[in-house]
Amino acid sequence: MTASNGLLMGKKQTRFIFVTGGVVSSLGKGIASASLGALLESRGLSVTILKLDPYINLDPGTMSPFQHGEVFVTDDGSETDLDLGHYERFLTSKMSKSNNFTTGQVYEEVLKKERKGDYLGGTVQVIPHITDEIKRRIIKGAGDSDVAIVEIGGTVGDIESQPFLEAIRQMKLDLQAHQTLFMHLTLLPYLKSAGETKTKPTQRSVKEMLSHGLQPDLLVCRSDISMEEEERKKIALFTNVDKASVISLQDVDSIYKIPIELNRQKVDEIVVGKLKLSCKKTPNLNDWKKVIREDLESKDLVRISMVGKYTELADAYKSLNEALRHGGLKNNTKVEIDYVDSEIIDSKNTHKYLKNSDAILVPGGFGERGIEGMIAAVKYARTMNIPYLGICLGMQIAVIEFARNVAKLKHANSTEFDVHTKYPVVGLISEWLDNEGLVERRDSNSNLGGTMRLGSQECFLEKGSLVRTLYKKEKIKERHRHRYEVNNNLIDKLTSKGLKIVGKSKDKMLVEVIELVDHSWFVGCQFHPEFTSDPRRGHPLFSSYIKAAINRSKIKQ
């Protein structure tokens, strides 16, 4: 089918669900989108989800975690919004570069075309040029999926998101009536002093939508308490939405309950009916029921000390937080994370901050700030026999600590933090093979954005190692996001003192995994295993790590 504007829509009549948010930000559009996608997928439909970010940056790769939270990395090496992590944890389909784009990318592409003369000297405008590029990217991202859920970032009314809203308005006209559905999330604030839930913000938010030519088909109302029937009727009346399509989404103690809650209110049934989808009549929610049961049946509690640079914002480690929780689910254990700012910890006060740890973790990060505190934390974990997991930077920190305190390489460091160090056990590597066997290059003058070793890469695990036992195979694929590598020229000085190199890259040139012998559980990995963990299957590294933490907690007792 071809749209009226000439854009190819694909042989399959993909259905598009456009998700917007109103009243305030951070309502959970990403989790709502992922939960709805999980429901539709459980009915046998193929589902993908796109995130459209209105900011001007080309991608979140160079943005501070304090500004934007975690940068989620896809298999194909794209640095994307953290919501894509939610999508992958809830769906079986994998996201790619096409699943996330920004205003910056849209304008960059349009300006490239203008410079090439593609517009034949015409005046380049928001309509039609910017909106056409947005539509083109939406269609490309949808591919041949049965359903493409398209989440528009920000809040309706923001000036940045107006071109996106105009583009999806046009798509409703371009497509057949049964191919589009608009889902709008709003807030129902509860005023304790009045003892009432107020519907006016939702009414105003829908009015704002209508001003853009968009009529919501489905309203999802976030609130602290359950919506009363009279409130539902009032909202339906003033927003022109069917009463059955006004959904109450109350706060829950686990985001993994949301697919079942949406199903209880027949959201998937409403969507299937409005979009005229041919699929299973009832969803198979056994996996989600099992996840909730695992959570409810948790018998133990472990405390993980996460020593990092961005601990003021939990979203900076969103996938990691979830992966630890998944490890807890697979061990029937609750996981509590103590965030420890690596800037306030040093060799003199590590016991004060880490004495209650059942396990210690140092996550990824960039820059010199807080590095000495991380090194002190690793030393505490190593000498006190506390389970340790180092991810990306956390593995490099473990190598630096071992070099200084075991191999006695005084002032050993990474050239990221000290370019003049006598023992650069970690350094900037200029060449490496990507997953397709092609040579990629970088140097100290390369741009920060898009120049890292990114995406899914093969890793070969040493026979007899802990990680080989956990993964149950020699060759694995995990996702990377880093510039610096362990220096091969100094490896012999480390391995001769007991550091085990148990994982290497495809070309066997780069260190991927380290372990320590004579330790209860000590693993460092250059890749980010948290990006491939999900609540249904968990991840072998995190499941084993939490099991080691449980054993530690029992010894402490």
Side-chain angles (χ1 to χ4, degrees):
M1 174 204 153
T2 303
S4 59
N5 65 358
L7 291 175
L8 184 66
M9 303 305 285
K11 295 179 181 179
K12 183 183 285 188
Q13 281 198 356
T14 298
R15 273 46 165 199
F16 292 88
I17 301 172
F18 297 106
V19 181
T20 54
V23 184
V24 295
S25 59
S26 302
L27 284 177
K29 294 191 302 295
I31 294 172
S33 299
S35 298
L36 176 57
L39 280 179
L40 297 175
E41 199 175 66
S42 68
R43 283 175 173 257
L45 296 165
S46 60
V47 180
T48 192
I49 310 181
L50 286 74
K51 175 68 183 293
L52 281 51
D53 281 309
Y55 52 72
I56 308 297
N57 303 64
L58 291 177
D59 60 45
T62 57
M63 294 171 70
S64 166
F66 293 121
Q67 287 274 320
H68 190 263
E70 167 190 86
V71 174
F72 184 81
V73 178
T74 56
D75 269 343
D76 64 0
S78 298
E79 295 175 285
T80 67
D81 186 82
L82 63 82
D83 277 327
L84 271 72
H86 291 311
Y87 305 161
E88 287 205 358
R89 287 187 285 274
F90 278 78
L91 300 180
T92 59
S93 60
K94 296 301 178 186
M95 305 298 111
S96 71
K97 183 178 182 178
S98 298
N99 290 86
N100 184 211
F101 63 88
T102 70
T103 293
Q105 291 174 20
V106 171
Y107 274 80
E108 181 187 46
E109 184 63 27
V110 169
L111 290 172
K112 282 180 181 177
K113 290 179 179 178
E114 186 272 335
R115 292 289 86 186
K116 286 167 60 181
D118 289 2
Y119 300 121
L120 302 176
T123 302
V124 179
Q125 298 175 296
V126 173
I127 302 172
H129 303 100
I130 296 299
T131 51
D132 277 358
E133 177 62 20
I134 292 170
K135 289 190 288 183
R136 185 191 71 79
R137 287 172 176 265
I138 290 174
I139 293 160
K140 180 183 177 183
D144 288 326
S145 299
D146 294 319
V147 179
I149 300 174
V150 183
E151 179 193 347
I152 311 294
T155 305
V156 170
D158 294 345
I159 192 170
E160 295 93 342
S161 61
Q162 288 182 11
F164 292 98
L165 298 178
E166 172 59 21
I168 64 175
R169 183 194 70 81
Q170 292 178 20
M171 285 191 70
K172 181 176 176 64
L173 300 177
D174 293 338
L175 300 168
Q176 296 183 36
H178 66 275
Q179 281 187 271
T180 61
L181 181 145
F182 293 89
M183 183 170 93
H184 189 55
L185 269 73
T186 71
L187 177 68
L188 286 183
Y190 176 73
L191 300 183
K192 277 189 177 181
S193 58
E196 293 178 353
T197 298
K198 293 297 182 181
T199 65
K200 189 67 71 177
T202 293
Q203 295 176 43
R204 298 293 300 178
S205 184
V206 173
K207 188 174 181 180
E208 182 71 33
M209 285 279 287
L210 291 170
S211 74
H212 292 281
L214 302 170
Q215 167 65 55
D217 300 293
L218 190 64
L219 269 181
V220 178
C221 303
R222 291 291 320 280
S223 59
D224 294 329
I225 62 174
S226 182
M227 183 193 300
E228 300 290 340
E229 189 62 23
E230 283 303 312
E231 293 163 350
R232 193 187 305 271
K233 288 180 181 178
K234 184 177 180 181
I235 291 170
L237 177 65
F238 284 98
T239 61
N240 200 32
V241 175
D242 293 338
K243 183 164 71 74
S245 298
V246 178
I247 308 301
S248 173
L249 192 55
Q250 189 178 345
D251 292 347
V252 291
D253 56 3
S254 169
I255 59 174
Y256 302 123
K257 291 181 178 179
I258 295 176
I260 291 176
E261 176 57 28
L262 293 180
N263 173 254
R264 186 185 68 80
Q265 297 188 59
K266 300 183 179 179
V267 172
D268 50 325
E269 188 177 313
I270 293 167
V271 169
V272 166
K274 287 182 181 291
L275 294 178
K276 297 182 181 179
L277 286 161
S278 298
C279 59
K280 296 176 184 177
K281 290 187 176 180
T282 55
N284 181 356
L285 298 175
N286 290 337
D287 282 350
W288 294 107
K289 290 175 181 176
K290 181 184 177 185
V291 169
I292 293 170
R293 188 166 60 250
E294 287 174 340
D295 194 20
L296 291 173
E297 292 175 355
S298 296
K299 296 174 289 187
D300 297 307
L301 172 69
V302 294
R303 303 182 72 90
I304 307 298
S305 292
M306 188 186 297
V307 184
K309 300 161 63 101
Y310 317 116
T311 53
E312 294 174 29
L313 183 68
D315 272 359
Y317 303 112
K318 190 65 182 178
S319 291
L320 189 48
N321 296 336
E322 292 302 314
L324 289 169
R325 188 176 178 193
H326 303 159
L329 291 174
K330 302 311 163 190
N331 285 282
N332 296 120
T333 298
K334 292 281 187 186
V335 176
E336 284 193 7
I337 303 173
D338 293 329
Y339 297 99
V340 182
D341 186 346
S342 59
E343 284 195 280
I344 66 171
I345 195 171
D346 57 40
S347 57
K348 297 177 181 178
N349 63 14
T350 46
H351 184 70
K352 173 185 174 182
Y353 288 104
L354 302 177
K355 63 183 178 182
N356 295 321
S357 307
D358 295 315
I360 294 171
L361 188 152
V362 173
F366 298 92
E368 186 179 0
R369 181 175 61 84
I371 293 304
E372 293 302 322
M374 295 180 189
I375 293 172
V378 174
K379 182 179 181 181
Y380 189 80
R382 179 178 59 80
T383 57
M384 300 298 289
N385 202 30
I386 299 172
Y388 174 78
L389 175 59
I391 295 175
C392 195
L393 175 63
M395 185 196 83
Q396 297 174 5
I397 294 296
V399 170
I400 294 169
E401 190 280 327
F402 188 89
R404 288 183 184 181
N405 299 314
V406 180
K408 303 303 180 183
L409 304 179
K410 193 174 181 181
H411 303 307
N413 215 329
S414 165
T415 55
E416 181 180 7
F417 318 129
D418 180 4
V419 293
H420 303 297
T421 178
K422 183 179 178 181
Y423 298 108
V425 290
V426 176
L428 186 70
I429 189 167
S430 58
E431 293 185 359
W432 75 97
L433 292 180
D434 67 13
N435 197 43
E436 297 178 356
L438 302 174
V439 176
E440 292 199 27
R441 294 180 174 86
R442 65 184 165 209
D443 60 39
S444 58
N445 296 316
S446 297
N447 289 338
L448 293 180
T451 59
M452 290 186 279
R453 188 172 165 220
L454 288 164
S456 183
Q457 311 245 338
E458 286 183 352
C459 169
F460 289 83
L461 303 178
E462 193 76 25
K463 189 175 182 180
S465 65
L466 171 63
V467 287
R468 174 76 174 266
T469 303
L470 298 178
Y471 278 95
K472 298 179 180 177
K473 51 188 174 182
E474 178 191 13
K475 185 174 72 174
I476 62 171
K477 292 182 76 173
E478 292 283 10
R479 300 177 192 179
H480 295 67
R481 184 177 183 251
H482 59 97
R483 291 186 182 86
Y484 291 79
E485 310 279 355
V486 174
N487 185 351
N488 289 329
N489 295 325
L490 293 172
I491 283 179
D492 288 346
K493 292 182 181 295
L494 304 177
T495 55
S496 64
K497 297 296 183 180
L499 186 73
K500 296 291 184 182
I501 308 298
V502 297
K504 288 195 172 183
S505 58
K506 183 178 182 178
D507 57 8
K508 305 296 176 70
M509 292 297 293
L510 305 178
V511 174
E512 292 278 14
V513 190
I514 64 166
E515 293 178 3
L516 284 186
V517 294
D518 300 326
H519 194 283
S520 60
W521 202 101
F522 194 106
V523 174
C525 53
Q526 188 60 76
F527 48 77
H528 287 266
E530 69 270 26
F531 290 149
T532 53
S533 178
D534 73 67
R536 289 162 290 187
R537 293 177 292 272
H539 188 286
L541 265 183
F542 290 100
S543 296
S544 177
Y545 177 62
I546 296 301
K547 187 174 182 180
I550 295 170
N551 293 336
R552 165 76 181 178
S553 69
K554 290 179 179 177
I555 292 172
K556 282 165 55 182
Q557 293 172 4

